[in-house]
């Protein structure tokens, strides 16, 4: 596997020189640039999505692809006299904001219906299922277990759960999503 | 997207790459836009009833300058990673202050007891509408230039576009309007700047997305 060039002045010079050549129609230089840029973008989006708590709703892969296409379509807007990094990450940030805006009004986290029924199992009085769920819940990280218990078992709202745990609402949603995923894996094993 | 298909995408983008030389700087394009707008507005004034300047020439110059500086800032902000410098902001504020200051001073220094009467004359709204109408074509030309770029803050760029458009229209209006009273010019010729800047902010978030 090819090693990624570390961020810094060397990378900046590499990016800027390749982009200047690409603007003149040099496909080989452009290919090299895109190869490095995609690695830089992957790291940027993974970190940004984690920080914003949007990781479960926006795929970093899609953002990388969107940004690569945007770089291609708007490559004439890069001024060869200016640093490449601010240009690149301004586009990346724009694509991230655009994607998060598209989510506005669609705050629903798609929970797996099967898992919802598993979580409801203790109330049906089936001792086996209840024991299974209790065991699986016990294996979850503390934050995920607490978020899941408060919202899905105790029936509290995301806001109430956030207040109780001191976590942000986004973090609660992400924790529940991850906990459900982990439970699903646990059930399948 | 799998690693393989990503590689295919990169290959596809790099294949048959047509040259895409960088566009001229924002200053150059702003001056070009200013020249084209002057021609458009000049042609419009040939058709519309017009006459010599009756409002203070300083307020006219401030509007024309404000339009050009706002267009420059809008074009600058339409380049990713490039922010309009403090110089743009300084000039915008200075020219806006010039427009307001000259007219306020003239009104306050006047002995005319009816000097504030234009503030309540709704007929002045006609001037506001005319200024917006006159600025429409220059505004569309600027929007076309901006859409060729990549504004990463469409709301902000839209606000500057609106300001440039309305200021161009208001400057041209100075040759159509026969009412040179300071308060009339300040309120009814200045109002489109605020209105269109707000509209530009709201519209820019939609029409300048890419």
């Amino acid at each position: 596997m090819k090693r990624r060039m570390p961020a810094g002045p060397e990378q900046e010079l590499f990016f800027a020189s390749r982009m200047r050549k690409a603007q003149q129609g040099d496909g080989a230089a452009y290919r090299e640039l895109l190869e490095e840029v995609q690695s830089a973008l992957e790291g940027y989006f993974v970190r940004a999505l984690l920080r914003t708590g949007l990781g479960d709703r926006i795929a970093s892969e899609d953002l990388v692809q969107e940004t690569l296409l945007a770089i291609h379509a708007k490559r004439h807007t890069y001024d060869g006299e200016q640093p490449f990094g601010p240009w690149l990450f301004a586009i990346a940030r724009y694509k991230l904001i655009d994607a998060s805006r598209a989510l506005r009004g669609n705050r629903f986290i798609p929970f797996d219906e099967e898992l919802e029924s598993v979580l409801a199992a203790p109330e049906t009085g089936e001792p086996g299922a209840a024991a299974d769920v209790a065991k699986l819940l016990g294996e979850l990280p503390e934050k995920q277990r607490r978020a899941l218990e408060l919202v899905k078992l105790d029936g509290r709202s995301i806001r109430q759960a956030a207040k109780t745990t001191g976590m942000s609402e986004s973090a609660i949603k992400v924790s529940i999503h991850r906990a459900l995923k982990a439970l699903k894996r646990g059930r399948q094993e | 997207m799998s690693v393989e298909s990503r590689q295919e995408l990169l290959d596809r983008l790099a294949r048959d790459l047509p040259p895409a030389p960088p566009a001229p700087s924002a200053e150059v394009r702003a001056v070009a836009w200013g020249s084209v707008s002057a021609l458009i507005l000049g042609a419009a004034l040939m058709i519309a009833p017009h006459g010599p300047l009756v409002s203070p020439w300083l307020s006219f110059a401030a509007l024309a300058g404000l339009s050009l500086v706002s267009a420059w800032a809008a074009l600058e902000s339409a380049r990713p990673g490039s922010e309009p410098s403090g110089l743009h902001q300084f000039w915008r504020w200075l020219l806006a202050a010039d427009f307001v200051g000259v007219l306020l001073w003239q009104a306050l220094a006047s002995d005319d007891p009816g000097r504030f009467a234009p503030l309540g004359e709704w007929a002045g709204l006609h001037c506001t509408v005319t200024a917006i109408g006159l600025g429409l074509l220059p505004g569309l030309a600027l929007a076309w230039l901006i859409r060729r770029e990549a504004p990463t803050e469409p709301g902000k760029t839209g606000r500057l576009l609106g300001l440039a458009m309305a200021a161009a229209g208001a400057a041209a209006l100075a040759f159509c309007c026969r009412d040179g009273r300071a308060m009339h010019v300040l309120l009814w010729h200045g109002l489109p700047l605020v209105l269109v800047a707000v509209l530009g902010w709201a519209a820019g978030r939609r029409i300048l997305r890419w």
Side-chain angles (χ1 to χ4, degrees):
Chain A
M1 194 178 165
K2 199 182 161 193
R3 275 192 64 188
R4 196 189 140 188
M5 183 181 283
E10 196 191 335
Q11 188 193 49
E12 176 57 49
L13 284 173
F14 175 86
F15 281 161
S17 70
R18 294 301 182 283
M19 190 55 167
R20 281 194 292 268
K21 285 182 181 172
Q23 285 179 324
Q24 290 158 17
D26 185 339
Y30 191 45
R31 183 68 178 76
E32 283 177 16
L33 171 77
L34 293 179
E35 190 70 49
E36 282 297 324
V37 159
Q38 66 155 345
S39 308
L41 288 174
E42 267 163 16
Y44 170 78
F45 283 127
V46 166
R47 283 193 300 275
L49 289 171
L50 274 175
R51 209 171 47 238
T52 54
L54 292 167
D56 59 329
R57 284 173 288 168
I58 301 174
S60 64
E61 286 286 306
D62 293 343
L63 287 172
V64 172
Q65 186 189 356
E66 281 281 315
T67 309
L68 287 171
L69 290 169
I71 288 168
H72 184 71
K74 300 291 183 181
R75 63 190 186 282
H76 65 280
T77 64
Y78 171 63
D79 178 355
E81 303 292 312
Q82 300 297 321
F84 183 83
W87 180 83
L88 171 69
F89 290 109
I91 293 178
R93 194 168 53 245
Y94 172 70
K95 287 292 165 190
L96 175 64
I97 292 169
D98 212 34
S100 63
R101 276 192 185 137
L103 283 177
R104 204 178 280 172
N106 182 20
R107 297 272 179 206
F108 178 72
I109 297 175
F111 292 127
D112 189 316
E113 280 180 17
E114 185 193 346
L115 287 165
E116 294 279 275
S117 65
V118 170
L119 287 167
E123 291 167 23
T124 64
E126 290 176 43
D132 275 356
V133 171
K135 184 172 173 289
L136 289 171
L137 278 174
E139 288 168 4
L140 290 173
E142 171 66 18
K143 275 187 177 177
Q144 291 180 14
R145 185 179 57 75
R146 188 91 179 103
L148 193 68
E149 280 176 347
L150 286 168
V151 177
K152 305 311 290 182
L153 300 180
D154 297 349
R156 295 196 203 179
S157 68
I158 298 279
R159 182 173 289 181
Q160 286 170 330
K163 218 172 182 180
T164 310
T165 57
M167 291 159 72
S168 69
E169 289 183 30
S170 299
I172 291 282
K173 289 176 189 174
V174 172
S175 294
I176 293 169
H177 184 68
R178 286 182 183 156
L180 288 170
K181 259 184 163 173
L183 284 178
K184 188 178 185 180
R185 277 200 303 273
R187 289 276 294 172
Q188 284 166 348
E189 282 163 9
Chain B
M1 182 183 256
S2 68
V3 172
E4 197 181 350
S5 64
R6 172 85 64 76
Q7 292 303 319
E8 280 170 12
L9 171 71
L10 300 189
D11 288 338
R12 183 166 59 79
L13 295 179
R15 211 179 301 133
D16 303 324
L17 185 74
S25 68
E27 296 96 305
V28 171
R29 280 171 302 142
V31 169
W33 172 80
S35 310
V36 170
S37 297
L39 286 175
I40 293 172
L41 292 170
L45 289 177
M46 299 293 261
I47 303 163
H50 63 280
L53 209 59
V54 290
S55 57
W57 71 269
L58 258 177
S59 71
F60 161 76
L63 286 173
L66 187 61
S67 176
L68 200 62
V69 172
S70 302
W72 177 12
L75 288 163
E76 190 76 55
S77 76
R79 283 219 159 159
S82 169
E83 273 281 303
S85 65
L87 190 69
H88 290 101
Q89 210 166 359
F90 169 76
W91 276 107
R92 280 205 310 281
W93 280 111
L94 185 74
L95 291 164
D98 177 26
F99 174 70
V100 174
V102 165
L103 295 166
L104 262 184
W105 176 257
Q106 198 179 55
L108 293 172
S110 165
D111 297 332
D112 180 5
R115 61 190 189 275
F116 291 109
L119 297 178
E121 292 170 2
W122 285 93
L125 204 57
H126 173 74
C127 283
T128 301
V129 175
T130 308
I132 294 172
L134 283 168
L136 211 56
L137 274 180
L140 286 174
L142 186 57
W144 178 77
L145 278 175
I146 289 170
R147 278 189 60 84
R148 289 169 59 85
E149 299 292 299
T152 52
E153 290 180 83
K156 183 177 169 183
T157 307
R159 179 170 53 84
L160 292 165
L161 160 66
L163 197 57
M165 172 190 154
L173 177 70
F175 293 98
C176 301
C177 180
R178 302 288 89 220
D179 191 338
R181 289 175 298 168
M183 280 294 122
H184 169 83
V185 177
L186 180 61
L187 176 63
W188 301 109
H189 295 204
L191 188 62
L193 272 66
V194 180
L195 286 181
V196 183
V198 173
L199 278 176
W201 171 79
R205 288 158 61 110
R206 287 169 182 80
I207 61 165
L208 297 181
R209 278 178 74 182
W210 50 282

